[in-house]
Amino acid sequence: MLVGSTDGSGNIATIVTTDLTQNSLITSGRFYVTGDGATLRNVETQQGYCVFLYKATNFLVQDVEYHGCDYTRSGQYGLNGVEWYTDGPGAFDGGNFIRVRVYDAPFFGFLIHSVTQFKGSYSASGWTLDHCIANGCGIASANGGYVSQNYACGFDFFEGFGMSDPLNNIVVRDCTANGNFNDGFHLEWEMDAVSMTWDHCEANGNGV
């Protein structure tokens, strides 16, 4: 069942059946979430559908389960389970991932990232990842011979942010990352993590 919902304010939280084919990338749609205050909940998805959040703020992604495709359809270009992305500067406040479970994503389980050209003009605050799972991510692409072209891990936090881009009140609670190709949880060392809490998280058997 594929069910999307909004908060009634007109923000998008629905499935976009865009053809994403590039080279051998699986033809697939995606749940596309943007704007302020959007909600996506109660989704179970397979066959490479992903959750893609573009410049989203004050959003809720809850009770979502993702199952990746096998390496024969994973493609040279990454399919991630959950991806948040910005290609422009701003203050990105209020993001909530609650009980979001990613299994066997070809590349990243959770990828939160931005373009590097705007380092120094980002900030993020009030994000929570609660009871989220990223297991077996990157393995499909490794089997397909593609990992050398892209780092692949369970959770990758605020890639592209720099030392002048403050992260405040970021909470990662009761999250699990097991059996991923690289790290379970990844955060660059030069980040400005003013306030980031890790509470009862587990990482086992990563770097396979």
Side-chain angles (χ1 to χ4, degrees):
M1 179 178 293
L2 304 175
V3 180
S5 63
T6 73
D7 63 353
S9 65
N11 295 300
I12 300 169
T14 188
I15 187 167
V16 179
T17 55
T18 303
D19 185 349
L20 301 179
T21 302
Q22 298 182 64
N23 291 352
S24 57
L25 176 63
I26 180 175
T27 300
S28 177
R30 61 184 179 180
F31 291 92
Y32 186 88
V33 180
T34 189
D36 184 80
T39 297
L40 177 67
R41 57 162 60 98
N42 300 325
V43 172
E44 182 174 354
T45 176
Q46 299 187 26
Q47 305 304 322
Y49 284 87
C50 64
V51 175
F52 182 81
L53 302 103
Y54 177 64
K55 293 185 176 179
T57 54
N58 295 305
F59 62 84
L60 172 64
V61 177
Q62 178 179 313
D63 295 314
V64 172
E65 184 164 315
Y66 168 95
H67 296 269
C69 53
D70 64 36
Y71 78 92
T72 61
R73 295 181 297 158
S74 65
Q76 181 175 353
Y77 297 92
L79 286 171
N80 307 304
V82 176
E83 181 176 353
W84 181 96
Y85 174 70
T86 178
D87 56 4
F92 301 100
D93 301 331
N96 292 282
F97 297 98
I98 311 297
R99 295 185 299 275
V100 179
R101 301 171 297 278
V102 176
Y103 301 101
D104 305 316
F107 280 88
F108 293 88
F110 292 75
L111 175 60
I112 301 168
H113 69 131
S114 62
V115 295
T116 58
Q117 69 191 78
F118 296 113
K119 278 188 178 182
S121 56
Y122 300 121
S123 66
S125 67
W127 287 53
T128 299
L129 289 87
D130 194 344
H131 285 84
C132 294
I133 296 171
N135 288 351
C137 301
I139 305 301
S141 293
N143 289 337
Y146 302 122
V147 160
S148 62
Q149 301 177 39
N150 200 335
Y151 180 84
C153 67
F155 294 81
D156 195 354
F157 294 96
F158 300 101
E159 195 74 36
F161 281 50
M163 296 181 70
S164 299
D165 300 314
L167 305 175
N168 284 286
N169 192 26
I170 311 298
V171 178
V172 185
R173 179 186 301 117
D174 291 308
C175 291
T176 302
N178 294 330
N180 299 292
F181 186 77
N182 291 107
D183 298 331
F185 299 93
H186 178 79
L187 186 71
E188 294 290 338
W189 66 270
E190 70 270 22
M191 306 294 285
D192 184 16
V194 178
S195 173
M196 189 166 185
T197 301
W198 305 79
D199 183 15
H200 290 90
C201 294
E202 174 186 300
N204 285 313
N206 299 293
V208 299

